[in-house]
Every structure is written in C-alpha cells, then in structure tokens.
C-alpha cells in the first residue's frame, strides 16, 4: 500500500527474501505444539522429570524464583506418560552394552502411534559416542509411519548431557509439524504471487538458511526475532567501521540487549524458555520484561514497572482499547515524549485523558504524587531496570559500554536511549532508519550460516603439554564437524561457497561455564592446542579482569563447533530526501517532573544526509521517536542513520 502496488507486483520485484517468525517460540511457550512421544534408553524415562534440580525454575527471574506460588508451574515439555523406554544401552566409549531389542522397540513405536503421536523424539544414552541405535529406531518409526516427524538427538543436539539433549530433541520434534505446515504454506502463497527467490529463514545462530533446510531442525529458528535485531545492528556497525557493538531493542513487552566483540556476536549454547532448558547454539540476547507496554503498579508502598505487560490487546490505557492499567507508554505520553495526534504517523490517535486517569488511580494516588510525578517515576524505574541489564551484559563481562557503538532500535528504544547513555556514561548512540523493523532488517541482510558441533572431552592438567591421544581426539572431532557442515552447505546452497570456521568450548577445569575460542584449522597439533589455551587465557583476562584466570587448575575442551558462513544480501542504498524542519513545539520533561522544556519537533520518514539539529528536540518517525536531550546534537548520515551525541 505504501508503494502503490498490489502484493503480486511487489513479490515479482523481490530478489531476496529473509524471514523471521515467532510461531515456533509461541507454540513452545503456550504448549500448543504437536503431541510428541519420546523414545529413550530403558531406565532413563524420568530424565525430563528430574531435570537438573532447577527444571521448574529455569529461566525465571529472581523475583519469580522467590515466589513459592510459581514453583512447579513449568510443566515438562513432554509428560512422563508420553515417554517410552526401549531396551538398549551404549556406554561412553561407544561400546554396545545391551543390544537394541528391535521387537520391543517396534512395539513401543506402534503404541506411540496408536496413542495419537504427531511426532517422535529419539534420545538414547551416549548416542553422541555411537548413534547406531538412534538411527535404527528412526528407521523403525519410518517403517511403521512414514509421514510421522522424527527427531534424533545425535543430530538435533549432539552434546553430552542427556537432559538438555532430550529436551532439545523433544522440542525439535514438537515443532516439526507446526513449522513444516507454516513454512510450506508460506512458500506456496509467495510462489503463487510470483516470488522467485527462495525463502530464507533467520536462525538463532545468527544467520539465514533456506526454509527447506529447516525441515529436520525447526528448533533452530526459535529465536529468529531477537537474533535478527542483533544481526541487523551488527550490519550498522560494519557500515560505520565499528566491530564492538552494543545493541538495544525495546518493543512493547521486552527489552533485549546484545553484544558483539570483534565483529562477532557473543554466543551461547544453553537457554531456558518457559521452564525448558535447551541445548542450542544461539546469539546471546539478554531480555527482561521492560517495554512500552510494561505495567506500572504500587506494591507495599513501592513503585514497580513490569515485567507484566499490557501487550497490544488491550494495550496501554491510552490506546483506548479496553486497557485500564498504566504503562510506560502512558507515562511517555504524559511527559510529552509522544504526540497523541501523531502516534504511528497519525494512524492511531492516543487518549491522553485515559492515560492520566490510569496513572492517577494506580500510581499517583497511592503514592501521594501528581500525575506528572507518577509518570516521571515510571520512567525512572523503567530506565533503571534497563541500565541494570546493560551493566550485566557489558561490565560483568569485562566490557566498558562507553567503548562500544551503541545501536538502538525498537519502537521505544530511541526514546529511552539518551537516559541510558546518561546512566552508563555513554557519549552517543545511533538509530538506524529501520529501527522499528530491525529484526526484519537483520533477516533480510544476514549471511547464510550453518553450525554443527561435535562433543569431545580433552583435559590438559596444569603444567603439562597436550597428550598425543588428546590431539588426535580433537583433530578427529574437528574433521567430523567440518565434514558435516560442508555437507549441509552443499545441500543448502549448491554451487555457492561458504567459509568454514572452527571454534572450541574451553574452560578451566572445574568450571561450569566456558568460552568459545577460535581453533586454527590449518593443522591441529600440539602447537595449535598451545595457541588455543593461550587465546583462552587472554580472552578470559580481557573479559573478567587481569589476574582472574586459574591456569593452575588446568584446562578442559568440551566440543568443537564448525560454522559455515556464506555471503549476505547487500544493504539497500539510502535515498533520503526529507529536510528536517521544526513542524511544531511542545513541552517535554527531560530532567525532572517539575521543569518541562520547550522542544522542537521534527517529523520525517526518510531524512536527507548531512543535516544537524540541536537539542532539546524530538525527531518523530512513523514508528518511533528519537529523543535528543538538552545540549545534545543529532545528525544524519548517508546510510539513513541518526547519530545523537550527548554533551560531555
């Protein structure tokens, strides 16, 4: 509609299509995914129930963990009655201790099918050392029901530790039918409307893959939304020649923070979603419930904001859609940051009276404050929560936020960034033109990326050199990981090349957490391991401070990860032509509830480069507002970015 085209005409002109989706995440969190039966080794049917002593609180905030009423609310991803045990056993060295009882296994599969299984997850003990039994079980399932979705743990989550491997495999199986139907329908609809390029789907690992290649691993796309935003912000950093980037995305419900060092996003291998712990290589995005829809309330005489959100329906009180509770958006409206007549480019007028009533009833009256003071308090509390998360992501990892390029996106991010800069000592921030659609921008421009890891345990005692057997084990694991990724690349993007990068998970012996360190793939020998340990110690000291290392404890290598990286789509050329002219002025509370300041308001869609405006002012886009505080300046560049520089 904005371009004056119908959908078919638009599709016919598209030459690159990136896609992110929350359909899998929603299905997992809401427990609406396909009914899944788990097949596992006899004697280990209680693995999901037992968890790791924190299954029922995994992923909860400190406040939620302390609330006894919330204990046990996270149901296991697969109930115990849907777990079937099969007679077989392989040990850690890959030796068959108990052969697979095929007759008993086939009976278990038939019982699962008769019981209404829509998908089957297969996770046997030590399949990472020898996957023969899992492969045979998959063959039996396909002999009995060829159309049933099957997920095997040595492919879905090839890692040591049966709990996370089993939950990840179960999640993958549960999402298989859901994602398969969704992506199949999407591709068919787009092809019917003349879209010629293949649909590329964003994965949590920070790249895109063809939708067809997700048929066996739909769980990889669980976090495509927040990951896309981080990768889109990294593209901003590359355009500006900066490799160390702090990303901030503030939407209606959550506040997401990412960090990239040396041009690469920080990664993690474990995450918790809805009480379920998963083993999944993904970009490390930290989130709290702090967004435009965060609900403000008074508890025990104290003002709290979030993590509960009004969402988009009914939404903040000012939306006039039935919401009666005050939110951060209502506070921004009262403080003058939002224009009730220009929200979403004027397509959705806001009700200031409703915002005032909600804040007065639920915050101002209980605390004995004026409505403006209540709104200011909401803003201060929310900004403080956001700043605390940024500190955890940066300072606690050895990074000074003042040294990073601060890229801000989301519908509410550009209006909060200046306050966080003031709180954290950051001198400037950048707002891309795609701020309100940064996840889509990341999905549309990210490079192809495929990862696969092979577990290997190498222990290097203190003061010793790596043993020849350890070098051989690491070389074998690296070769297996590289070979698997090269096969995936050849299948996913035939005829196109992708470089393969190798990394290792390294930690000091006895630690619970590890760092991912690049491995020299040219020749894996004792010298390569020496360099790996040296790089690990330098990275550790850089992140946690000089003298924080524990080399006297020795070292452990846990796995080798191979990553195939292709080329991304070029970022479209910016052709902004809007001149920044003050369209109006209004009072905005920048420094306190009692002293509003007159601020110029600039309204734009595509600002021309090379312009400069002085604060205090607001730059209003159809989907977000860039707040430029007093004594700050804002300038536009040839990429369509707005750079806001605060006073020293």
């Amino acid at each position: 509609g904005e371009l004056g085209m119908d959908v078919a005409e638009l599709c016919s002109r598209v030459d690159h299509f990136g896609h992110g989706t929350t359909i899998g995440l929603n299905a997992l969190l809401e427990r609406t995914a396909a009914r899944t039966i788990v097949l596992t080794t006899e004697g280990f049917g209680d693995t999901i129930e037992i968890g790791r002593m924190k299954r029922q609180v995994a992923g909860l905030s400190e406040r939620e963990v302390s609330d006894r009423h919330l204990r046990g609310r996270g149901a296991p991803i697969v109930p115990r009655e849907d777990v079937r045990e099969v007679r077989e056993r392989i040990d850690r060295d890959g030796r068959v201790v108990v052969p697979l009882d095929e007759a008993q296994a086939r009976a278990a599969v038939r019982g699962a099918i008769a019981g209404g299984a829509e998908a089957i997850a297969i996770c046997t003990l030590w399949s990472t050392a020898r996957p023969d039994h899992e492969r045979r079980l998959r063959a039996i399932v396909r002999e009995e029901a060829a159309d049933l979705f099957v997920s095997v743990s040595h492919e879905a989550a090839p890692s040591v530790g049966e709990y996370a491997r089993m939950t990840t495999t179960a999640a993958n199986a549960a999402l298989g039918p859901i994602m398969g139907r969704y992506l199949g329908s999407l591709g068919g609809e787009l092809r019917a409307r003349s879209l010629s390029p293949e649909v590329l789907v964003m994965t949590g690992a920070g790249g895109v893959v063809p939708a067809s290649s997700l048929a066996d691993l739909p769980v990889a796309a669980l976090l495509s939304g927040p990951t896309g935003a981080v990768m889109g912000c990294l593209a901003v950093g590359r355009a500006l020649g900066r490799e160390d980037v702090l990303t901030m995305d503030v939407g209606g419900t959550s506040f997401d923070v990412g960090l990239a060092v040396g041009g690469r996003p920080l990664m993690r291998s474990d995450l918790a979603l809805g009480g379920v712990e998963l083993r999944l290589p993904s970009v490390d995005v930290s989130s709290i419930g702090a967004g435009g829809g965060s609900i403000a309330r008074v508890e025990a005489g104290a003002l709290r904001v979030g993590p509960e959100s009004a969402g988009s329906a009914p939404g903040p009180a000012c939306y006039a859609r039935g919401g009666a509770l005050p939110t951060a958006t209502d506070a921004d409206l009262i403080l003058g940051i939002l224009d009730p007549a220009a929200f979403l480019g004027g397509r959705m007028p806001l009700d200031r009276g409703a915002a005032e009533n909600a804040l007065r009833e639920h915050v101002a009256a209980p605390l004995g404050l004026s409505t403006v003071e209540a709104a200011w308090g909401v803003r201060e509390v929310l900004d403080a929560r956001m700043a605390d998360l940024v500190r955890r992501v940066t300072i606690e990892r050895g990074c000074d936020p003042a040294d990073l390029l601060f890229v801000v996106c989301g519908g509410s991010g550009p209006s909060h960034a200046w306050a966080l800069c003031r709180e954290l000592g950051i001198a400037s921030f950048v707002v891309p033109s795609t701020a309100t659609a940064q996840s889509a921008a990341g999905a549309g421009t990210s490079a192809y990326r495929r990862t696969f890891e092979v577990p290997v345990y190498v222990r290097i005692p203190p003061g010793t050199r790596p043993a020849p057997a350890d070098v051989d084990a690491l070389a074998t694991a690296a070769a297996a990981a590289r070979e698997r990724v090269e096969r995936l690349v050849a299948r996913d993007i035939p005829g196109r090349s992708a470089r393969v990068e190798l990394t290792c998970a390294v930690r000091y012996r006895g630690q619970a957490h590890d760092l991912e360190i690049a491995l020299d793939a040219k020749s894996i020998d004792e010298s390569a391991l020496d360099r790996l340990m040296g790089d690990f110690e330098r990275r550790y000291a850089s992140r946690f401070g000089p003298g924080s290392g524990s080399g006297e404890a020795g070292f452990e290598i846990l796995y080798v990860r191979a990553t195939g990286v292709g080329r991304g789509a070029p970022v479209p050329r910016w052709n902004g032509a809007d001149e920044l002219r003050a369209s109006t002025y209004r009072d905005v509370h920048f420094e306190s509830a009692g002293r509003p300041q007159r601020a110029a308001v600039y309204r734009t869609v595509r600002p021309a480069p090379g312009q400069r405006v002085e604060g205090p002012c607001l730059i209003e886009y159809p989907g977000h507002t860039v707040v430029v505080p007093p004594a700050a300046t804002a300038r536009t560049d040839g990429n369509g970015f707005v750079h806001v520089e605060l006073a020293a």
Side-chain angles (χ1 to χ4, degrees):
E2 292 287 336
L3 297 173
M5 304 179 189
D6 60 23
V7 176
E9 182 182 359
L10 175 65
C11 286
S12 68
R13 297 175 60 176
V14 170
D15 54 24
H16 184 88
F17 191 97
H19 181 55
T21 176
T22 60
I23 187 170
L25 181 61
N26 293 342
L28 188 65
L29 294 177
E30 296 168 6
R31 296 295 197 268
T32 57
R35 185 186 176 191
T36 300
I37 301 296
V38 172
L39 300 181
T40 190
T41 304
E42 188 175 58
F44 288 83
D46 295 316
T47 296
I48 294 179
E49 283 286 337
I50 295 171
R52 286 200 293 236
M53 296 185 68
K54 60 177 183 176
R55 178 187 63 75
Q56 295 182 346
V57 297
L60 299 182
S61 67
E62 292 181 5
R63 177 173 173 270
E64 290 170 327
V65 169
S66 65
D67 188 341
R68 293 184 62 86
H69 292 288
L70 297 178
R71 296 294 181 91
R73 73 170 186 177
I77 189 169
V78 174
R80 180 62 181 88
E81 59 267 24
D82 285 342
V83 178
R84 309 281 195 273
E85 298 180 8
V86 294
R87 197 166 300 119
E88 65 85 38
R89 185 69 181 268
I90 289 174
D91 69 11
R92 55 169 290 178
D93 297 316
R95 293 188 296 261
V96 177
V97 178
V98 177
L100 175 64
D101 187 334
E102 293 202 11
Q104 186 258 349
R106 192 176 296 274
V109 170
R110 288 175 176 172
I113 296 170
E118 298 174 86
I120 289 185
I122 300 172
C123 181
T124 62
L125 204 64
W126 291 109
S127 62
T128 53
R130 184 172 178 173
D132 296 12
H133 289 177
E134 284 197 352
R135 289 171 177 159
R136 182 56 192 148
L137 284 168
R138 176 169 56 186
I140 291 173
V141 172
R142 288 178 173 165
E143 289 169 8
E144 296 294 331
D147 295 334
L148 205 62
F149 187 89
V150 186
S151 178
V152 290
S153 74
H154 71 275
E155 294 178 358
S159 61
V160 175
E162 62 270 18
Y163 169 62
R165 184 157 48 89
M166 190 179 295
T167 55
T168 306
T169 306
N172 192 59
L175 296 177
I178 302 288
M179 289 291 287
R181 287 193 295 267
Y182 171 74
L183 292 175
S185 174
L186 175 67
E189 292 282 351
L190 290 170
R191 285 191 298 273
R193 288 165 172 77
S194 304
L195 185 88
S196 57
E198 184 169 14
V199 174
L200 301 175
V201 180
M202 193 78 205
T203 72
V208 293
V209 298
S212 57
S213 71
L214 281 179
D216 297 328
L217 196 64
V219 73
L222 263 184
L223 299 178
S224 61
T227 299
V230 172
M231 301 311 293
C233 291
L234 262 61
V236 173
R238 286 194 298 272
L240 298 176
R242 299 284 296 273
E243 292 190 328
D244 299 338
V245 180
L246 172 64
T247 75
M248 160 181 154
D249 183 4
V250 189
T253 301
S254 67
F255 171 63
D256 302 329
V257 179
L259 179 64
V261 178
R264 297 183 179 183
L266 295 191
M267 303 291 290
R268 62 183 176 187
S269 296
D270 300 285
L271 64 149
L273 295 171
V276 178
E277 294 175 75
L278 303 177
R279 176 75 179 180
L280 195 64
S282 57
V283 172
D284 192 351
V285 182
S286 299
S287 303
I288 58 173
S294 293
I295 296 172
R297 65 203 178 281
V298 176
E299 291 183 357
L303 174 60
R304 298 186 181 276
V305 185
E308 297 83 1
S309 174
S312 58
C318 62
Y319 281 13
R321 293 178 172 175
L325 299 176
T327 67
T329 297
D330 296 303
D332 284 349
L333 180 59
I334 300 303
L335 296 173
I337 292 169
L338 299 178
D339 184 342
F343 192 68
L344 294 182
R347 296 191 298 270
M348 182 180 172
L350 300 180
D351 188 339
R352 181 184 176 94
E356 290 177 337
N357 291 338
L359 280 164
R360 184 183 304 112
E361 177 183 352
H362 296 281
V363 178
L367 294 177
L369 303 174
S370 69
T371 304
V372 173
E373 288 172 335
W376 180 259
V378 170
R379 180 88 182 189
E380 289 278 274
V381 170
L382 192 66
D383 287 342
R385 292 187 61 215
M386 291 179 177
D388 285 344
L389 179 61
V390 175
R391 290 189 186 96
R392 291 201 298 271
V393 170
T394 57
I395 295 173
E396 292 185 11
R397 292 174 171 174
C399 295
D400 185 345
D403 296 334
L404 307 171
L405 176 70
F406 190 21
V407 183
V408 178
C409 57
S412 299
S415 66
H416 285 266
W418 72 276
L420 295 188
C421 287
R422 180 186 59 184
E423 181 79 12
L424 299 165
I426 301 174
S428 64
F429 62 92
V430 178
V431 181
S433 58
T434 51
T436 50
Q438 198 67 3
S439 293
T445 58
S446 290
Y448 167 87
R449 184 179 294 266
R450 264 289 197 168
T451 66
F452 189 80
E453 65 183 48
V454 173
V456 59
Y457 182 73
V458 173
R459 176 187 169 194
I460 303 175
T464 65
R465 298 293 305 283
D470 292 333
V471 175
D472 291 343
L474 186 63
T476 299
R482 172 184 284 276
E483 189 272 336
R484 177 58 187 268
V485 164
E486 287 175 343
R487 281 195 286 117
L488 291 172
V489 169
R491 186 191 71 177
D492 292 347
I493 50 174
R496 286 182 282 171
S497 61
R499 71 180 187 275
V500 178
E501 303 169 348
L502 295 179
T503 56
C504 290
V506 187
R507 67 186 182 189
Y508 290 115
R509 186 186 174 209
Q511 286 190 316
H513 302 285
D514 55 76
L515 296 179
E516 195 165 323
I517 308 297
L519 175 65
D520 185 357
K522 296 177 182 178
S523 59
I524 299 178
D525 52 20
E526 288 187 14
S527 297
L529 262 69
D530 288 339
R531 290 193 296 273
L532 183 71
M533 298 305 106
D535 291 344
F536 166 74
E537 293 216 88
R538 284 187 289 274
R539 175 80 66 81
Y540 197 94
S542 173
R543 179 171 294 186
F544 301 107
S548 59
S550 302
E552 62 274 13
F555 305 90
E556 294 175 329
I557 302 173
L558 307 178
Y559 62 78
V560 179
R561 177 180 294 161
T563 303
V565 182
R567 295 182 61 184
V571 177
R573 183 178 177 83
W574 180 252
N575 60 352
D578 297 350
E579 183 178 350
L580 293 179
R581 291 183 178 179
S583 59
T584 186
Y585 293 83
R586 68 172 177 264
D587 290 339
V588 179
H589 294 267
F590 290 100
E591 303 295 342
S592 72
R595 296 192 305 275
Q597 293 175 264
R598 201 70 171 165
V601 179
Y602 301 92
R603 290 180 180 148
T604 184
V605 176
R606 301 180 70 83
Q611 301 183 79
R612 185 183 184 93
V613 296
E614 303 291 333
C617 67
L618 306 172
I619 303 176
E620 291 185 345
Y621 288 78
H624 64 274
T625 299
V626 181
V627 174
V628 184
T633 60
R635 61 180 177 86
T636 60
D637 68 11
N639 298 299
F641 307 154
V642 174
H643 300 251
V644 179
E645 298 171 0
L646 280 70

